[in-house]
Amino acid sequence: MAPMIPRRDEDTLSARIAALLGAFRAGDDAVGAAELARRTGLPKSTVHRITSDLVRTGLLERHGRKVRLGLALFEIGQRVPRQRVLREAAVPFMSDLREATRQTVHLAVLDGREVVYVEKLTTPGGPPLPSSVGGRVPAAATGVGKAILAFSPSATVERMLRGDLPRLTERTITAPGLLARELRRVRRDGVAYDREESGPGITCVASPVLGPDGNAIAALSLSGWSSRMHPARYSPAVRTAALALSRALHTGG
Amino acid sequence: MAPMIPRRDEDTLSARIAALLGAFRAGDDAVGAAELARRTGLPKSTVHRITSDLVRTGLLERHGRKVRLGLALFEIGQRVPRQRVLREAAVPFMSDLREATRQTVHLAVLDGREVVYVEKLTTPGGPPLPSSVGGRVPAAATGVGKAILAFSPSATVERMLRGDLPRLTERTITAPGLLARELRRVRRDGVAYDREESGPGITCVASPVLGPDGNAIAALSLSGWSSRMHPARYSPAVRTAALALSRALHTGG
DNA sequence: TATGTCGTCCCGTCAGACGGGACGAACGCC
DNA sequence: GGCGTTCGTCCCGTCTGACGGGACGACATA
């Protein structure tokens, strides 16, 4: 009899382990085997066996009867080149930018159709932002995302324009044509704005960190309440910091 | 014929994946398959197959012909509870401490016989320290390690005293008896010192972050040049910050 | 007490991991 | 430019370890 369960096109053990690790959400502490089975779609006994193996190797930790992400994963995560090199170089510039503007500073990279925040420096008076280091947001809805896209190979942009542009607020750009035009403007000015497109009441000013080939590696941004964040006033500071960081990355210092 | 190769007591795929991920060192960018095979002791074709699977799932990324840790691992690492909860609560206190003392501030947790740095706030004038977020150092050789051990269950301390105490400088404590006595003093005072025991010319003052049961969860420390870091002068500040953080963690705010 | 859900464990089946070996390309050295 | 080495990649026959349904007791809830 032919197997009734259509074999997932990719269900090697590696894929299952990745699925299992990815099943832990940002706010989770410890999670039970049954819950993980539900989230991943894997049989319960399979989850139990794999998590036991992962606990033995240290990637997961037992917490009571449940299981949680292990400290080893934090250590490994800190070694990821895409963020490590960038962050080391960026923090001083971000610190200066925060000092000069008294606004919240973000550093993000593009990954697929989303941006991932690599560093965030908050400021006492600033608004409470939902962003967090390691967090993911649709690129087209953010200042950093638009800054990076405007200085990316056209193939990357076209791939983005072909898919859905998720709506985060009523001002989020969801029309491909509008986004394309916006990106041309960003490319001309070197600065991208986010006028309440990612969160209500929040305005951002972003500028790309460029590699030697002129393509963006990352982007810096300032975020604040719309009432106090006047783009024109802060864009020179952001642009300057981003250019300085770009230069520092090239010269290896 | 009996298999000549003694079966590793644990060589499930999970263990191999963990070994492979752990084979990437802090300074590495991309690493080749042959090099990974050498580091892990795995056959080259096995490394090639597993890394290909891991690339497909996103845990690793192709970089030319080589392979490097993927951004997904950074994201997952940021969700690890042992560091996330702690860091979120600690950063404001650490920031204040740096402001008040103008010294480098560390936050670390104990893992096995070592401490892992969870956060680090540097200061412009401070000495260049080899420590890094996600880095690992023998616990007995550091201020944070001694602060945590002094407020740990006796089983934890005894396990530490039974093994080797690695020497980092000529002042590192390597005699179990001396360490035990030092820990009693730390427990009495609530503050641990590191007088050039982890690095030449560097002095630290550390204090434990305590859980509701009185055991240490983590520790805060100040580090600076020995010539300018007078322990007695800074210990009240460190102790105060650590106590404040302990209280903030309990009350959930 | 009844009921659902949890974590854990067993064990017969078989699919997929395994790794030695081959191959061509790239590199470094003379 | 020639040569030796080391690299990444791929194939394929063998067989072992992953697989997951199902059973079980502990626990929480109603």
Side-chain angles (χ1 to χ4, degrees), chain B residues 124-145:
Chain B
L129 296 169
S131 64
S132 67
V133 174
R136 229 169 227 282
V137 186
T142 67
V144 280

Side-chain angles (χ1 to χ4, degrees), chain B residues 180-200:
Chain B
R181 189 158 50 150
E182 169 93 346
L183 292 182
R184 279 195 296 277
R185 195 202 56 71
V186 172
R187 182 158 187 113
R188 194 188 61 220
D189 298 350
V191 178
Y193 300 129
D194 162 5
R195 302 174 187 271
E196 314 203 342
E197 296 156 38
S198 63

Side-chain angles (χ1 to χ4, degrees), chain A residues 7 12 32-34 38 44-45 48 65:
Chain A
R7 207 128 184 83
T12 143
R38 229 174 286 118
K44 196 176 60 158
S45 67
H48 183 261
R65 306 177 150 286

Side-chain angles (χ1 to χ4, degrees), chain A residues 118-189:
Chain A
V118 164
E119 185 57 284
K120 173 187 184 180
L121 298 185
T122 58
T123 243
L129 297 168
S131 65
S132 67
V133 175
R136 229 168 228 284
V137 186
T142 66
V144 280
K146 292 192 286 185
I148 297 174
L149 285 172
F151 291 83
S152 291
S154 54
T156 304
V157 178
E158 279 160 20
R159 205 180 321 128
M160 177 79 42
L161 292 176
R162 264 199 299 278
D164 272 356
L165 299 176
R167 174 180 297 284
L168 296 190
T169 73
E170 52 182 19
R171 297 212 185 177
T172 305
I173 299 176
T174 56
L178 277 184
L179 180 60
R181 187 157 52 147
E182 169 92 347
L183 292 182
R184 280 195 296 277
R185 196 203 54 72
V186 172
R187 182 159 187 109
R188 193 188 62 220
D189 297 350

Side-chain angles (χ1 to χ4, degrees), chain B residues 7 12 32-34 38 44 48 65:
Chain B
R7 206 130 186 81
T12 140
R38 230 174 286 118
K44 195 176 61 158
H48 182 262
R65 307 178 149 286

Side-chain angles (χ1 to χ4, degrees), chain B residues 146-218:
Chain B
K146 291 192 287 184
I148 296 173
L149 285 171
F151 291 84
S152 291
S154 55
T156 305
V157 178
E158 281 160 20
R159 206 180 319 127
M160 178 76 44
L161 293 176
R162 263 200 298 280
D164 271 355
L165 300 176
R167 174 180 297 283
L168 295 190
T169 73
E170 51 181 20
R171 296 212 186 177
T172 306
I173 300 177
T174 57
L178 277 184
L179 181 60
R181 189 158 50 150
E182 169 93 346
L183 292 182
R184 279 195 296 277
R185 195 202 56 71
V186 172
R187 182 158 187 113
R188 194 188 61 220
D189 298 350
V191 178
Y193 300 129
D194 162 5
R195 302 174 187 271
E196 314 203 342
E197 296 156 38
S198 63
I202 306 295
T203 294
C204 305
V205 182
S207 187
V209 179
L210 301 174
D213 58 357
N215 285 328
I217 304 167

